[in-house]
Amino acid sequence: MTLSVYLSGEIHTDWRDEIVAGAEGLDVTFSAPVADHDASDDCGVAIMGAEADKFWHDNKGAKLNAIRTRKAIEDADIVVVRFGEKYRQWNAAFDAGFAAALGKSLIVMHGADHQHALKEVDAAALAVTETPKQVIEILRYVLTGALPK
């Protein structure tokens, strides 16, 4: 069995790299959003032209990023959504809802301090984790049936 995993959410830490490295040797392919914050914000105006109003600047970028995100979530077997500590990631909550609506296996990752705020998102998830290591162990278990040592 091969798994396709989309890694959504917080882009300010290296949690994605930890999961990819920890899953080495497992039959997993990963996809993710553009994690360069400036490129993600400015892609619309860089490709389709400048906007005087910041709303339309952001709107263009959000729509271009949605093309990538929708395709990746639709193609994924599992969607992992990480909610970080520093920012409110509304896009991550949106991705979690989209994945749940499509019936994707959803793994949510966040600290205990977000438990109450994310209770509805957590309720839609098949697993709620706090660390990349837990996500890696879930992937290993799903693919091999092996428990952590």
Side-chain angles (χ1 to χ4, degrees):
M1 168 176 21
T2 300
L3 291 178
S4 174
V5 178
Y6 182 67
L7 302 173
S8 172
E10 182 263 311
I11 64 170
H12 302 282
T13 63
D14 67 350
W15 68 273
R16 286 181 183 84
D17 295 335
E18 288 182 54
I19 291 173
V20 171
E24 188 174 338
L26 296 176
D27 198 1
V28 181
T29 59
F30 293 98
S31 60
V34 172
D36 177 325
H37 201 183
D38 291 336
S40 176
D41 284 351
D42 297 338
C43 63
V45 296
I47 295 169
M48 297 182 292
E51 291 290 344
D53 187 321
K54 182 69 169 144
F55 173 84
W56 294 112
H57 175 113
D58 289 346
N59 186 273
K60 280 183 175 179
K63 288 180 176 180
L64 284 188
N65 286 314
I67 295 169
R68 179 186 180 103
T69 301
R70 287 180 188 177
K71 175 67 173 150
I73 290 174
E74 288 169 353
D75 289 350
D77 299 306
I78 297 173
V79 176
V80 178
V81 181
R82 161 101 171 120
F83 292 89
E85 305 302 320
K86 190 172 180 183
Y87 300 100
R88 292 186 176 126
Q89 291 103 34
W90 305 120
N91 58 321
F94 187 87
D95 289 355
F98 184 56
L102 292 175
K104 300 296 177 174
S105 295
L106 178 62
I107 300 171
V108 174
M109 183 175 19
H110 60 76
D113 54 331
H114 288 351
Q115 181 277 322
H116 181 75
L118 293 171
K119 64 185 177 295
E120 288 82 8
V121 174
D122 290 352
L126 297 180
V128 178
T129 65
E130 291 189 17
T131 68
K133 185 176 189 306
Q134 291 173 316
V135 174
I136 295 161
E137 293 303 334
I138 289 169
L139 296 175
R140 185 177 325 285
Y141 176 77
V142 168
L143 285 166
T144 69
L147 293 173
K149 296 176 183 178

